[in-house]
Amino acid sequence: MEIERVDQIIEKHHGEAINLLQIMLDIQSENNWLSKQALARVSEKLSVPMTRIQHIATFYKAFSLVPKGRHKVHICMGTACHVRGATRILDTVEEATGIKPGETDLDLKFSLETVNCLGCCALGPVMEVDGKVHGKMSPVKASKALKTYE
Ligand code: FES
């Protein structure tokens, strides 16, 4: 993310330290992660110590300090999904994307995570992409679904 864009986001929030969290959320949302350069700029402009910013960035799960893909893929490995073949879905997604849970591909297209339950067990096995639930997955369906994302 360009420093000018970071400045615009800071400006939008009147450059006030009280808006630090919202500024960080905006940068995260637009850039998919918080780069050291962006956070250093926020620290400088808002006169907030980097240690405080880092503490916030590591405390909230919404923030990432490493680059993330444009699409976040969650594979449910909870019991209901597991007994219906979640492992095969995970294997398929790993093969299709070339990444393991916790990783992001080099094109920054996908980030992959496993979760314990997405709250829609009857649809298992479940894959969620950017918050959209794909239920009753099969390896073929999972592979096809991933191809629809740019
Ligand atoms: S166990 Fe997968 S949605 Fe609940």
Side-chain angles (χ1 to χ4, degrees):
M1 173 182 261
E2 301 290 326
I3 287 300
E4 291 75 30
R5 184 62 195 130
V6 175
D7 286 349
Q8 287 170 358
I9 290 171
I10 293 169
E11 280 293 304
K12 189 177 114 190
H13 295 284
H14 315 292
E16 292 175 2
I18 197 167
N19 296 325
L20 173 62
L21 192 59
Q22 193 54 54
I23 289 167
M24 291 172 69
L25 283 168
D26 282 6
I27 294 170
Q28 171 72 42
S29 152
E30 198 168 308
N31 201 37
N32 285 325
W33 72 295
L34 302 172
S35 70
K36 193 174 173 189
Q37 290 81 358
L39 293 182
R41 186 63 167 188
V42 171
S43 169
E44 178 193 333
K45 288 280 211 172
L46 270 55
S47 301
V48 173
M50 267 304 266
T51 48
R52 181 161 165 233
I53 291 176
Q54 187 138 3
H55 177 75
I56 294 170
T58 52
F59 183 79
Y60 292 103
K61 264 191 118 180
F63 296 124
S64 174
L65 292 170
V66 293
K68 288 285 181 186
R70 296 187 297 284
H71 305 293
K72 282 136 198 89
V73 182
H74 293 115
I75 307 296
C76 181
M77 300 303 286
T79 307
C81 288
H82 181 75
V83 297
R84 293 185 182 125
T87 304
R88 289 187 307 133
I89 306 305
L90 179 60
D91 289 347
T92 301
V93 172
E94 285 181 356
E95 197 169 304
T97 59
I99 53 174
K100 301 264 182 212
E103 294 179 349
T104 295
D105 66 5
L106 292 176
D107 296 331
L108 299 181
K109 184 173 178 185
F110 292 115
S111 290
L112 176 60
E113 300 283 350
T114 56
V115 293
N116 288 326
C117 183
L118 288 163
C120 47
C121 309
L123 295 176
V126 175
M127 172 174 84
E128 185 191 74
V129 184
D130 300 336
K132 180 176 187 240
V133 170
H134 298 264
K136 302 205 183 287
M137 281 285 100
S138 67
V140 171
K141 281 168 78 178
S143 182
K144 273 188 188 163
L146 287 178
K147 285 186 182 136
T148 64
Y149 291 90
E150 291 296 318

